[in-house]
Amino acid sequence: MSHLMHKVLVVGLLLITVPTFYGAEPTKEELTKTVLELNRLTGTTSMTKRLVELARDEQLSKKLIPVAVELSKAKKRDINYNALFVMGRLAQNFKLSDDAVQLYRAASEEATKVGSASKIVDVFDSLIDLYAATKKYDEAIQACQEFLEIPIDDPESPISRMKPFIMEKMVMNVARKGKIDEAVALADRLVEDDRGGWYFVRLKGDVLREGEKYKEAAEAYELSLSRLKKFDRLEKEQRDRIGQRIRYILSSVYVSMKDLDKGITILEELVKEDPKNPTYLNDLGFTLADHDKRLDDAEKLIRQAIEFDREERKAIENLPKDLDVDNAAYLDSLGWVLFKKKKYQEALKELEAAVKLEDGAHIEIYDHLAETYKALGQTNKAVEMWKKALKLEDISKSDQERRKAIQKKLDSNRDD
């Protein structure tokens, strides 16, 4: 499977520990005290560490969140920005979107009261991303506009520096809403204002890619790369790093255009430049396998991706055992190349392991598993997996096409 975002949280010593209630149900007073203790957090590091710890205790967190929401609605709040922001992120982590919005909105009010530009930036950035993740594009656009309308005179203020990036988020949410021409026009305006720059040309490529205008997207990315090479306000190392990211996206655009040779060539170049990068290795291996090319090479690349990913986890100090797990996307890639090589039992092992992982709830992985069951003559299990696949949320537009294909498979196997 093409690389899915694989988040690894680094956990060190936590400044404040989650209270232990020794099996007893915590009282409302105890829960309120725990939430208000977050008021004392200072700095991003301590807030992040506390958030990670709370996120690992789902049972307690889901008791704390409604208490925090109630505190956020009080006319005179005892809860401050730090506690509101942490609890907002916690609610977002557990997909309690309405609670997260309430907490973020309250946090933005508190940030405005104390005049903290950096806090306003952080909370709006999170709020906009929450709306986008839940496909509430109108609300995301509105939040972007609210931020862009904040009056600010200091060009060095965090708010001033953040406005171009919030404009970028607004453009992408317009595109995700399906208004591609409008989003392209907004991107073109940014490109024109930033004459000779590379950044917003890359944004235009993102918009065109979202609209499945792959040829135009490829042209925009190529132009962005050309301009980036001449952008001497960045050190060469930075330009190279950014260039790799753009080329990585460009490789997928060429694959979507059915120009496999160009897509594969870019991935091969990226692997040559960064031979221990699991993402590049996996994507090259998966692309080869998915198109029935050089299957032995594909398997080798994917196995290297899994191995280097494990090495990266080993290098993280104090990584909790529940986070020391393989990437479901990489296991899916391995299962798929084994399927292509007709090693169905071996493929089954990897694909069954992939769907058991938290990041394995993806329509493509379930489709691959169903195909493997089908190849092994286990049609009932294949149908079961396809039905489960259709209950999963689409992450990309390609998932929508896969959904249609799965429905056809179900229809054709109805009498099997």
Side-chain angles (χ1 to χ4, degrees), residues 177-188:
K177 192 179 173 184
K179 296 188 174 183
I180 301 301
D181 290 343
E182 182 181 334
V184 169
L186 289 169
D188 277 334

Side-chain angles (χ1 to χ4, degrees), residues 88-156:
R89 291 287 298 273
L90 195 64
Q92 184 174 356
N93 179 74
F94 290 116
K95 295 181 170 50
L96 302 172
S97 302
D98 291 343
D99 289 340
V101 168
Q102 168 61 31
L103 292 161
Y104 283 147
R105 284 295 185 184
S108 70
E109 292 171 9
E110 294 302 311
T112 301
K113 283 181 188 177
V114 299
S116 172
S118 62
K119 289 178 179 178
I120 291 171
V121 165
D122 287 345
V123 73
F124 266 93
D125 195 36
S126 295
L127 179 62
I128 292 163
D129 286 348
L130 169 63
Y131 281 137
T134 52
K135 299 184 180 180
K136 294 182 177 179
Y137 302 126
D138 286 329
E139 289 88 340
I141 293 166
Q142 177 60 38
C144 288
Q145 290 171 334
E146 286 178 42
F147 184 90
L148 293 170
E149 290 169 4
I150 296 173
I152 196 78
D153 296 325
D154 181 7
E156 296 303 314

Side-chain angles (χ1 to χ4, degrees), residues 101-336:
V101 168
Q102 168 61 31
L103 292 161
Y104 283 147
R105 284 295 185 184
S108 70
E109 292 171 9
E110 294 302 311
T112 301
K113 283 181 188 177
V114 299
S116 172
S118 62
K119 289 178 179 178
I120 291 171
V121 165
D122 287 345
V123 73
F124 266 93
D125 195 36
S126 295
L127 179 62
I128 292 163
D129 286 348
L130 169 63
Y131 281 137
T134 52
K135 299 184 180 180
K136 294 182 177 179
Y137 302 126
D138 286 329
E139 289 88 340
I141 293 166
Q142 177 60 38
C144 288
Q145 290 171 334
E146 286 178 42
F147 184 90
L148 293 170
E149 290 169 4
I150 296 173
I152 196 78
D153 296 325
D154 181 7
E156 296 303 314
S157 163
I159 292 175
S160 295
R161 293 198 300 268
M162 190 64 180
K163 283 192 174 184
F165 302 105
I166 296 298
M167 186 66 191
E168 176 184 2
K169 288 178 185 285
M170 188 169 82
V171 170
M172 285 308 302
N173 279 291
V174 170
R176 292 181 186 120
K177 192 179 173 184
K179 296 188 174 183
I180 301 301
D181 290 343
E182 182 181 334
V184 169
L186 289 169
D188 277 334
R189 199 177 309 160
L190 292 169
V191 170
E192 186 177 345
D193 291 342
D194 186 33
R195 292 176 186 173
W198 62 273
Y199 189 88
F200 293 113
V201 180
R202 189 270 309 151
L203 171 61
K204 183 177 178 179
D206 292 344
V207 170
L208 291 164
R209 181 189 181 208
E210 179 68 24
E212 298 180 321
K213 298 184 178 184
Y214 297 122
K215 184 176 183 297
E216 295 95 324
E219 290 170 355
Y221 287 130
E222 294 283 11
L223 178 58
S224 178
L225 287 167
S226 175
R227 290 187 176 187
L228 177 63
K229 288 178 182 177
K230 304 171 186 175
F231 195 75
D232 56 11
R233 280 184 276 171
L234 291 175
E235 297 291 334
K236 184 179 183 303
E237 184 179 342
Q238 288 178 292
R239 294 200 303 269
D240 290 345
R241 188 165 58 249
I242 294 167
Q244 280 191 344
R245 289 201 294 269
I246 296 173
R247 287 156 58 209
Y248 172 63
I249 296 170
L250 181 58
S251 70
S252 70
V253 172
Y254 280 127
V255 171
S256 297
M257 289 170 62
K258 311 301 181 188
D259 192 340
L260 293 178
D261 289 342
K262 281 189 178 179
I264 289 169
T265 296
I266 292 172
L267 286 170
E268 287 175 332
E269 290 170 352
L270 290 172
V271 167
K272 187 175 181 180
E273 293 166 19
D274 192 357
K276 291 190 176 183
N277 187 306
T279 298
Y280 299 157
L281 289 162
N282 174 72
D283 277 34
L284 176 55
F286 178 80
T287 302
L288 291 170
D290 201 39
H291 295 89
D292 300 296
K293 293 178 177 287
R294 294 160 40 198
L295 295 182
D296 288 341
D297 289 342
E299 181 179 349
K300 180 180 178 181
L301 288 161
I302 294 164
R303 288 189 184 279
Q304 286 177 332
I306 293 170
E307 186 58 37
F308 288 134
D309 183 53
R310 289 170 179 168
E311 287 182 10
E312 286 182 1
R313 294 199 304 275
K314 284 180 183 177
I316 300 174
E317 291 186 16
N318 302 317
L319 181 68
K321 287 184 178 180
D322 58 339
L323 295 179
D324 188 12
V325 294
D326 285 326
N327 187 324
Y330 301 165
L331 294 182
D332 173 65
S333 294
L334 180 57
W336 194 231

Side-chain angles (χ1 to χ4, degrees), residues 400-414:
Q400 296 171 13
E401 294 303 313
R402 187 175 294 273
R403 183 175 296 276
K404 295 175 186 176
I406 288 174
Q407 187 59 60
K408 288 182 180 178
K409 292 175 188 178
L410 280 172
D411 292 342
S412 66
N413 284 282
R414 190 170 292 161

